[in-house]
Amino acid sequence: MDWLSHISQINWLAVLLAFVSSMVIGFVWYMPAVLGRKWMQAIGKTEDDLKNIEGGAGIWVPMMVAAAVTSILVAVLISALDLNTFLAGGFFALILALVFRAGGHVIHNGFAGRPWAVTLIDSGHDIVAMTVAGAIIGAMQ
């Protein structure tokens, strides 16, 4: 597991900025005025439905942990591959997002019978968020 040895070489400020950028992109992406209304329509929910959802922190904490772990793993892989530019980090993260995140949405949403709009909106978010995160990490490597 040689790639894991790179965890000591990552720039933690870059990881933090990548994580924050992911949160900001998600906040903007799913705003009602941006793609939020279309996404809610595609999943069959209203703003009131989402405001009244039970779970509180139980909904946000796992999402934030997943985003943090994603930023850390992207940083470890970028370090292991010695991708030390904005473009190299961003392109690598773009490929990861296309294959693993968008690919996962296509598979799972397809079998769940969800509308293509859900897949496109969620995949688009993940592609943009991961590409930006990778670019930040690559630039600060």
Side-chain angles (χ1 to χ4, degrees):
M1 295 189 59
D2 184 53
W3 62 271
L4 198 52
S5 66
H6 288 270
I7 201 159
S8 63
Q9 299 171 16
I10 63 175
N11 181 333
W12 289 100
L13 177 59
V15 170
L16 176 64
L17 292 175
F19 168 77
V20 169
S21 75
S22 179
M23 296 294 101
V24 170
I25 289 167
F27 176 77
V28 172
W29 195 267
Y30 290 100
M31 287 175 67
V34 181
L35 290 169
R37 279 192 190 91
K38 290 180 194 249
W39 179 77
M40 286 184 277
Q41 182 181 12
I43 65 169
K45 301 281 184 187
T46 66
E47 272 189 78
D48 287 337
D49 292 336
L50 296 177
K51 286 178 184 174
N52 295 322
I53 206 164
E54 291 185 28
I59 294 169
W60 289 92
V61 171
M63 179 272 304
M64 292 176 76
V65 168
V69 169
T70 298
S71 293
I72 293 167
L73 181 59
V74 168
V76 167
L77 294 173
I78 284 174
S79 173
L81 294 169
D82 198 27
L83 304 173
N84 54 9
T85 68
F86 179 87
L87 287 176
F91 184 71
F92 177 71
L94 169 66
I95 299 304
L96 287 178
L98 285 169
V99 172
F100 294 107
R101 300 297 290 266
H105 288 300
V106 168
I107 293 165
H108 296 294
N109 288 345
F111 277 102
R114 293 187 181 121
W116 272 101
V118 175
T119 301
L120 292 174
I121 292 168
D122 290 342
S123 294
H125 163 263
D126 289 352
I127 290 166
V128 170
M130 279 188 70
T131 301
V132 170
I136 291 167
I137 293 165
M140 297 179 71
Q141 188 60 25

